[in-house]
Amino acid sequence: MSARAHPVTLVLEDSLEITGRDLRLAWPLPDLAAGDTAPPFMRLGPAGHAARVEFTDEALAAALKDRCPDLYRTDPSASAGRLRLVLWSIAAGISVILLAICGVPAIAVRLAPVIPAAIEARLGGAVDGQIGKILGDPPVCDNAPARAVLDRLIERMTADAGLPVGPAITVRRHAIANALTLPGGRVVVLSDLIEQSRTPDEFAGVLAHEFGHVAAHDPMRALLAASGSSFLLSLVLGDLTGSTIIIAVGQAALSAGYSREAENAADSYSVGVMRRSGGDATALATILERIAKDDGKDDDKAEFASLLRSHPFTKERANRIRAMAGTETVGRRILDETEWATLKGICRNVPATSAK
């Protein structure tokens, strides 16, 4: 009835008699089956029943072997039980994997917008620290005149933008051209994106695209999906230390893998921001096309194309951006030449960092 042990007395006669407190049994010898144990320990009981008796009496063990020639036969019920356990374990593992692949992302879509801002900000800070470690702790670029230009640009672009939180943008010196959006409105700009942008509107278009992810809570949704799926998969793999989750969260932020719908929505948001801010709303399509054209031609351009890997490009995407933008904004500049030159020097006094 339970796994609790009961002290008993054993007597071997025509059957194995078992007596103890409030217990009296007689097991027929032909029914007995022994478990796989190491002498002098022995475990046996009636085949097909859960009850077992355990002892270390060598004389009793020898007598049982003489009286019960089939004592070490295979217990069919035990084999069936092991098979059921294996089948149920496989079914449970498949269920967890399906939940990780399909269920968790669906839950994340609904949960991300209702996460309290304070909690999202703390999560964003934790992910920011993890990203810094993955990238090799790139230094922050804080050239004062350039930072002032960037702050004015951000204020201009986010006015009446409908963002759930005010974005916090940091520029880090790194030989990769990319921008990463983290929970809590954090946007990390890797400095080579500014360096490789040919016009201020190309840079601003990418920045506005990241603001679109902030507006849609995409980073929080990606974080929930990555951490939740990694936790479920760690149950299957037996990794409950959290290492799987930490790695997955960092990689999710570096290459968020947003859905096509999320990317299109962020593109639309970027076009709207650039139109309102007085910039060239087609510049995002221009920089994405140039990345796609240059991808893989040489090492420098391959690093530049890291933006393309985290924001997958298609020709249809560029056409869609241009169709939404129209032609009336073409040729506009969101910053003048002096401001743009100042902004491009934001990392002037910061040592270069190698890509990792």
Side-chain angles (χ1 to χ4, degrees):
M1 299 300 294
S2 74
R4 183 167 60 90
H6 299 267
V8 295
T9 299
L10 305 179
V11 177
L12 180 59
E13 297 287 353
D14 294 335
S15 62
L16 182 62
E17 297 178 1
I18 305 168
T19 58
R21 183 180 180 181
D22 301 325
L23 181 66
R24 187 174 184 83
L25 300 172
W27 289 346
L29 298 184
D31 294 344
L32 294 181
D36 186 12
T37 58
F41 181 76
M42 191 170 188
R43 178 189 299 115
L44 55 84
H49 292 268
R52 292 290 183 270
V53 65
E54 300 174 350
F55 61 90
T56 57
D57 189 292
E58 295 182 2
L60 178 58
L64 281 165
K65 291 177 184 178
D66 291 339
R67 301 278 297 275
C68 307
D70 295 331
L71 188 63
Y72 287 95
R73 69 188 183 277
T74 302
D75 185 351
S77 64
S79 298
R82 286 192 292 269
L83 178 60
R84 286 195 299 270
L85 178 62
V86 170
L87 292 177
W88 276 111
S89 299
I90 293 174
I94 292 174
S95 298
V96 170
I97 291 173
L98 289 176
L99 179 60
I101 295 173
C102 303
V104 171
I107 294 171
V109 170
R110 292 163 176 78
L111 187 60
V114 299
I115 297 292
I119 294 178
E120 186 173 347
R122 290 204 300 271
L123 288 172
V127 176
D128 197 353
Q130 179 66 18
I131 291 300
K133 292 178 181 178
I134 294 175
L135 294 175
D137 293 320
V140 175
C141 300
D142 55 1
N143 176 271
R147 183 71 218 193
V149 172
L150 179 59
D151 288 342
R152 290 195 298 271
L153 176 62
I154 294 168
E155 183 178 0
R156 182 177 174 184
M157 293 174 64
T158 57
D160 301 321
L163 293 175
V165 294
I169 288 82
T170 58
V171 180
R172 296 179 181 271
R173 181 68 180 263
H174 205 281
I176 286 179
N178 209 342
L180 314 172
T181 307
L182 311 180
R186 292 173 179 257
V187 178
V188 178
V189 175
L190 301 183
S191 61
D192 206 47
L193 175 62
I194 300 175
E195 184 65 28
Q196 298 289 352
S197 297
R198 293 180 180 175
T199 69
D201 300 82
E202 289 185 356
F203 167 66
V206 174
L207 194 59
H209 177 94
E210 300 304 320
F211 292 164
H213 288 309
V214 173
H217 300 277
D218 289 333
M220 192 68 232
R221 182 168 64 248
L223 175 60
L224 290 172
S227 58
S229 298
S230 298
F231 176 74
L232 289 173
L233 291 176
S234 70
L235 294 178
V236 177
L237 300 174
D239 173 20
L240 299 178
T241 64
S243 59
T244 305
I245 299 173
I246 293 173
I247 293 171
V249 167
Q251 294 298 332
L254 280 173
S255 183
Y258 299 129
S259 67
R260 179 177 298 180
E261 291 76 14
E263 291 293 344
N264 289 342
D267 288 343
S268 300
Y269 188 93
S270 175
V271 169
V273 167
M274 294 299 289
R275 289 173 66 91
R276 290 193 304 272
S277 304
D280 183 353
T282 67
L284 177 61
T286 302
I287 189 172
L288 289 175
E289 283 179 326
R290 190 166 73 254
I291 294 170
K293 181 179 178 181
D294 292 343
D295 190 10
K297 287 186 178 180
D298 54 51
D299 291 339
D300 291 338
K301 291 176 180 178
E303 294 293 354
F304 184 30
S306 63
L307 176 64
L308 183 61
R309 288 192 286 272
S310 60
H311 297 74
F313 172 81
T314 63
K315 184 66 176 178
E316 290 76 14
R317 182 178 174 189
N319 292 337
R320 188 183 305 109
I321 293 171
R322 286 200 169 90
M324 289 186 293
T327 59
E328 63 271 19
T329 67
V330 175
R332 295 197 310 194
R333 290 292 178 266
I334 200 166
L335 295 176
D336 61 33
E337 292 299 328
T338 301
E339 292 173 319
W340 178 230
T342 301
L343 178 56
K344 294 199 76 167
I346 194 168
C347 295
R348 180 178 294 113
N349 299 324
V350 179
T353 301
S354 300
K356 297 222 175 180

